[in-house]
Structure formats: structure tokens, C-alpha cells
Amino acid sequence: MLRSFVSGAAFGAALAAAAIHQPDAIIEQMQFRKWQMLTTFLTASGTSTLLVHVFQRLGYLHLKPRNYSTLNIFGPLDGNVIGGMFLGAGMTISGSCPGTVFAQIGSGIHSGLFTLGGAIIGGIIWSGLLRPVFRTRTKPASDVEDIPKRPLTVEEWTGTSQTSTFVIVESLFGGIIAGIVYLAAPESGGLVGPVAGGLLIASAQLLSIVTRRSLLGTSSSFEEVGDYFWWAVGRGVRPMSYTAIALTTGMIAGALSVSLASPSTRVAPEIVIGPNKAVLGGMLLSIGSRMAGGCTSGHGISGVSLLSVSSFVTVVAIFAGGMGTAMIMGQLNRR
């Protein structure tokens, strides 16, 4: 658990140093007004992809790509699409995501407490109510055997080699980052710029790889809390894992350390999120991320690093849901 805590501390410190945890960074990205979040996110994802590729080739890592999240509503990736859109909507409403909420708490951003409260409620709802319902929709093993093998990675989907896919993906990441930096010149308002912030987040990923032989991911902590809740009230078995809880606790400590060491990072957000919006957004973050099988870190940084098809689909759905929600909220605010 100590290694998870330390990896989380590095992750939380990186988020705080890059100021990517500020509600403004997330909301203004979804409104196409500020490009800090996307620049940092793509840098972290691209660098993590490089790290995972190297460590997999060296034989130090043996990680499987992320599987599809299937709800059996309209297709094999419907959980990734629906969950991703819920997650994106929650990000716009709360100005947070399943990872940055812990950095917000460590940095003293008050809305983060309400967002985390909503996320915990969402985790309880997911574990005790929604997860059992969706499990009943899972097809029997005899039916699954009749389904053709699904491509889990981009190279399987495109029919190209892993090396070729890796080079193409890294080139796309690099080109998009260069284009954003050249055209928008994004700034972070933190201790480091957006690109350096992405490299710091990737450094936390490196620490997780070296110490845990595992990748970063935060949203499963909400499900773990939900499992413990239902066990405590006598409606479930005792959970066997609290790794994600240890990691996210470390994130709070890491962000707190940065805010104490550099008081300039404790800047009040320009966009203030009210308690009701924060709780609602937190619930959507939690339920959406569990429905999708991961969040902006688990899918967006770690899953993409494994070139998982489900992760790329989820990331697209997250931004579609977030930007769509931002447009709807903008129209409502004008009335």
C-alpha cells in the first residue's frame, strides 16, 4: 500500500504543480476558451505511451490492454460511450475529474470537498444498485463464445504492427501538441507550463511503473468506497482491495505538500462551483467512470498508453460529453 500511496503523492503533486486541478482549466477547455488542459493531457498521454512501450519491450511490464465496457444496450463499446459522456458532463458541471478532485482537496479548493462527496455517493449507487443491474445484462458464456474476437488494441483494429501503430500515435500526439502550442500558446498559471506539467504527470506514471509494475488510475477508489459501505451495512462481502484508496489518499498528500511548499499555488479559482453543482458533477464523474471502466487517468493516460481501443473511444466520449454540456449550459445561462 505504501507504494500506491507514494505513486499517488507524485501524481497529486504533479497535478497541483501544473495547475491542471483548477476548475477553470477544465471548464474553459470544454468551452474552447483555454487549451492548458488538452496540452497537458496529451503530453502526459504521449509520454506515458512511450514509457509503457519501452518497459513492455524490456519485459518489465506485462500489461493487457483495457477490455470493452459493454452494457448490451447498443453495441460492445456502449459502456465506454455512455459512461464517457456522463463523465465528461460531470467534469464540466463540477470543474473536476476523478483524479483532480483529490488534488483540489489537497490544495484547499472548497468545491472539491462537495465534488468528492458526490463521487462517493455515486460510488455507493454504482456498487450497490447499478453494477448488479448491468451484470444481469451480461450475456451467458455460450453466447459470448459465438461472438468474433474483438480487437482490443489499435494495431489489432487497424491490422498494422505494434511498432508502426506506436510511431503513428506518437506522431499524432506530437503534432497536435505542437499545433496547440504554436496557435494558442497556452499558459498554466502553475509552477510549470502545460507541456512541462504533462511531463511531470508522466514522471508519476514512471514511478508507478517502476515501483508497482502498474499504471495510474483513480476512479476505482469510488467503487472501493462503495463496496466498503455496502459491506459495513451488511449487504455485501468484505472488499479485498483498497489499493486505489491508498493511491488517491497519496494524491491529496502530494497536492497538499506542493501547496504548503509554494503558497502561490493556492490561488482561488476564477470560476466558483456551487455545492449543488459540485455534488451533481461528482456523482456523474463516479458513475460515468465506473460505467466506462476508467476515467481521464485510467483510460486517458494509462489505457491510451496501452493503445487500447476502448480507451480512445472513452476519451472521445468524455470530450464530446463535456463540450456538449458546456454548450447547453452556455445557452441556458444566456436566457
Side-chain angles (χ1 to χ4, degrees):
M1 292 304 106
L2 177 60
R3 287 176 289 183
S4 295
F5 181 88
V6 172
S7 296
F11 190 20
L15 293 173
I20 199 66
H21 66 304
Q22 289 282 351
D24 315 39
I26 295 173
I27 294 174
E28 291 183 340
Q29 177 62 70
M30 297 303 185
Q31 296 172 336
F32 299 99
R33 293 171 52 196
K34 194 173 183 179
W35 295 89
Q36 170 199 356
M37 174 192 167
L38 188 59
T39 305
T40 302
F41 175 77
L42 290 175
T43 303
S45 296
T47 309
S48 292
T49 302
L50 173 62
L51 292 172
V52 170
H53 182 77
V54 170
F55 279 94
Q56 294 266 55
R57 284 298 184 94
L58 292 175
Y60 189 82
L61 280 181
H62 302 280
L63 300 176
K64 295 181 180 180
R66 287 187 171 257
N67 210 335
Y68 294 10
S69 180
T70 306
L71 305 179
N72 290 313
I73 296 176
F74 59 78
L77 286 162
D78 53 359
N80 299 102
V81 174
I82 298 172
M85 294 187 74
F86 280 175
L87 171 53
M91 289 172 63
T92 298
I93 294 170
S94 67
S96 188
C97 76
T100 61
V101 62
F102 299 102
Q104 288 179 351
I105 292 172
S107 299
I109 297 175
H110 298 300
S111 63
L113 292 170
F114 293 99
T115 302
L116 179 60
I120 290 174
I121 293 172
I124 292 171
I125 293 173
W126 171 259
S127 296
L129 303 176
L130 295 179
R131 186 176 64 190
V133 170
F134 288 125
R135 279 181 176 173
T136 62
R137 297 181 59 86
T138 303
K139 293 183 178 181
S142 58
D143 293 342
V144 174
E145 291 174 358
D146 296 333
I147 300 175
K149 183 180 178 182
R150 296 164 177 166
L152 297 182
T153 61
V154 176
E155 65 264 23
E156 292 176 354
W157 181 57
T158 59
T160 57
S161 68
Q162 185 182 55
T163 300
S164 298
T165 304
F166 165 74
V167 171
I168 293 170
V169 169
E170 289 291 80
S171 299
L172 286 173
F173 279 146
I176 295 172
I177 293 166
I180 294 174
V181 170
Y182 177 75
L183 296 173
E187 298 179 356
S188 74
L191 298 178
V192 296
V195 173
L199 294 175
L200 280 179
I201 294 171
S203 297
Q205 184 78 285
L206 175 61
L207 180 62
S208 181
I209 290 171
V210 172
T211 60
R212 304 194 304 146
R213 294 179 186 259
S214 182
L215 304 181
L216 296 171
T218 61
S219 64
S220 55
S221 62
F222 307 133
E223 187 168 359
E224 288 181 354
V225 170
D227 289 339
Y228 274 103
F229 171 84
W230 291 111
W231 166 70
V233 299
R235 288 191 53 191
V237 297
R238 182 171 183 173
M240 300 300 293
S241 173
Y242 50 91
T243 303
I245 294 176
L247 187 142
T248 50
T249 302
M251 292 179 68
I252 296 174
L256 175 61
S257 298
V258 170
S259 67
L260 292 176
S262 180
S264 63
T265 60
R266 298 177 68 91
V267 178
E270 296 179 7
I271 300 176
V272 178
I273 308 297
N276 292 338
K277 288 177 62 177
V279 171
L280 173 61
M283 292 175 63
L284 289 172
L285 292 178
S286 180
I287 294 173
S289 61
R290 299 324 303 148
M291 190 179 293
C295 59
T296 43
S297 56
H299 270 308
I301 298 176
S302 298
V304 165
S305 300
L306 294 166
L307 302 178
S308 306
V309 171
S310 61
S311 295
F312 281 96
V313 170
T314 302
V315 169
V316 172
I318 288 172
F319 280 97
M323 292 173 178
T325 301
M327 292 176 62
I328 294 171
M329 292 176 65
Q331 291 294 327
L332 292 175
N333 289 336
R334 293 190 188 98
R335 294 181 179 179

